[in-house]
Amino acid sequence: MNCEEFIVEKITNFLDRLRKLVTLDIQDKWLENNSYSSLCLNEKGYIVFPKGRETLWLIQKIIIPEHLEHYSLSGLSLRLVLTWWAEDAKIFINNELVQEGDFI
């Protein structure tokens, strides 16, 4: 391994470590709001809900620590990535509507 390959490998390993620190898969943490029961995911990891314009309310509590691996999180932003296959979706954070949209 030459010097350039060594540096690229070190940088790649460092970036992978950072990515693991700041990325969290929370798909399996959703609860059904009316029963607070866990939802079953299909083989692809998706939440399956009934067809026919039925409303499904989901809830999840996300606790943001003050520090992560001894690094302060003060002043940083949190990015929540959601994808839905529904006619309409409304996203609330702390009971405040922050986003809405549809698949169509």
Side-chain angles (χ1 to χ4, degrees):
M1 176 182 300
N2 65 34
C3 185
E4 185 177 317
E5 291 172 335
F6 177 78
I7 292 171
V8 169
E9 182 180 329
K10 288 293 186 187
I11 291 172
T12 301
N13 291 341
F14 179 74
L15 292 175
D16 287 343
R17 183 170 179 263
L18 282 177
R19 201 171 286 113
K20 288 176 184 173
L21 286 174
V22 300
T23 303
L24 182 63
D25 183 359
I26 56 174
Q27 179 72 5
D28 63 345
K29 306 293 188 277
W30 290 104
L31 302 173
E32 209 168 341
N33 192 31
N34 59 355
S35 65
Y36 292 102
S37 60
S38 296
L39 296 168
C40 293
L41 305 179
N42 69 11
E43 63 280 352
K44 293 183 178 181
Y46 300 150
I47 298 169
V48 179
F49 52 92
K51 295 180 182 178
R53 296 181 181 233
E54 292 185 32
T55 300
L56 179 63
W57 287 91
L58 302 175
I59 189 170
Q60 187 167 152
K61 186 175 188 175
I62 301 170
I63 299 171
I64 312 300
E66 289 184 27
H67 294 84
L68 180 66
E69 297 283 324
H70 307 290
Y71 293 101
S72 174
L73 300 179
S74 178
L76 299 179
S77 299
L78 175 71
R79 180 176 179 209
L80 179 63
V81 179
L82 299 171
T83 303
W84 59 85
W85 298 89
E87 185 175 313
D88 185 38
K90 293 183 173 119
I91 312 302
F92 294 83
I93 297 178
N94 295 333
N95 295 318
E96 180 182 332
L97 179 65
V98 295
Q99 185 71 40
E100 60 184 305
D102 60 14
F103 173 70
I104 299 172

